[in-house]
Amino acid sequence: MAFHVRRKDREITDLDAMRKVLKNTKYVTVALCMDNEPYLVSLSHGYDEAKHCLYFHCANEGKKLVYANANNKVWGQAVMDYGVTDECDYAYTSVHFSGRLFMIEDLNEKQHGIEVMVRQLSPNPEAKLAKIKPEKLATTTMGRIDIAYMTGKQHLNPKVK
Ligand SMILES: Cc1cc2nc3c(=O)[nH]c(=O)nc-3n(C[C@H](O)[C@H](O)[C@H](O)COP(=O)(O)OP(=O)(O)OC[C@H]3O[C@@H](n4cnc5c(N)ncnc54)[C@H](O)[C@@H]3O)c2cc1C
């Protein structure tokens, strides 16, 4: 069954505006499912606009990896949270996405992914990137979410810059 944003007055249809949300947030919350049991985790991410994918790193074991290895279909959300307004309404811009999660083994892709992440997450990216050693990266667990579909919604927020 196909669903659409019900409140057309709040729907974001501009793909660039949705991409900006993924580029200007620090983490996404990703829903997983295995054997009809749901699970979710938040992950600090970097969004690669050219490849339309998200990069993240994590420990090399744990529940999310068990779920993702069993079923790599994910649904996720990124939120720009503007808080409660004077009228006690809640202002936000958010993006939902679906896609597939892949673990990354290739060192060149890990290097690219970490650069995307650090440039998005760090106020001082070049200094951080200079400290990243290939041998450390080789043992770092990294993943990628290829985004297949996304929707956007906003409520009482300032325009996304
Ligand atoms: C803003 C934010 C950013 C984060 N960024 C990253 C990231 O970049 N990489 C990363 O690996 N993790 C990140 N985390 C932590 C992540 O959400 C998970 O807690 C963590 O990855 C462990 O997941 P797991 O499935 O391996 O848990 P496990 O250690 O296997 O634990 C499984 C059980 O622990 C409980 N649990 C797990 N995580 C949490 C939690 N956060 N809060 C409460 N209960 C929990 C659940 O009940 C679950 O059933 C972030 C969390 C936040 C809030």
Side-chain angles (χ1 to χ4, degrees), residues 54-70:
L54 304 167
Y55 290 104
F56 65 92
H57 64 44
C58 63
N60 66 359
E61 59 182 358
K63 185 171 172 178
K64 67 177 169 302
L65 293 187
V66 172
Y67 268 62
N69 287 332

Side-chain angles (χ1 to χ4, degrees), residues 18-30 41-49 52-58 76-80 95 97 113-122 142-145 147:
M18 289 184 239
R19 289 191 185 103
K20 280 179 185 161
V21 174
L22 296 174
K23 199 70 198 167
N24 287 293
T25 44
K26 296 206 180 300
Y27 70 93
V28 289
T29 300
V30 175
V41 282
S42 294
L43 297 168
S44 309
H45 72 281
Y47 173 58
D48 183 327
E49 288 165 280
H52 196 36
C53 70
L54 304 167
Y55 290 104
F56 65 92
H57 64 44
C58 63
Q77 176 178 261
V79 179
M80 297 181 79
V95 164
F97 56 87
I114 208 80
E115 285 176 19
V116 172
M117 286 183 66
V118 171
R119 291 217 160 87
Q120 180 160 338
L121 298 172
S122 170
M142 290 191 64
R144 186 187 77 232
I145 296 172
I147 297 174

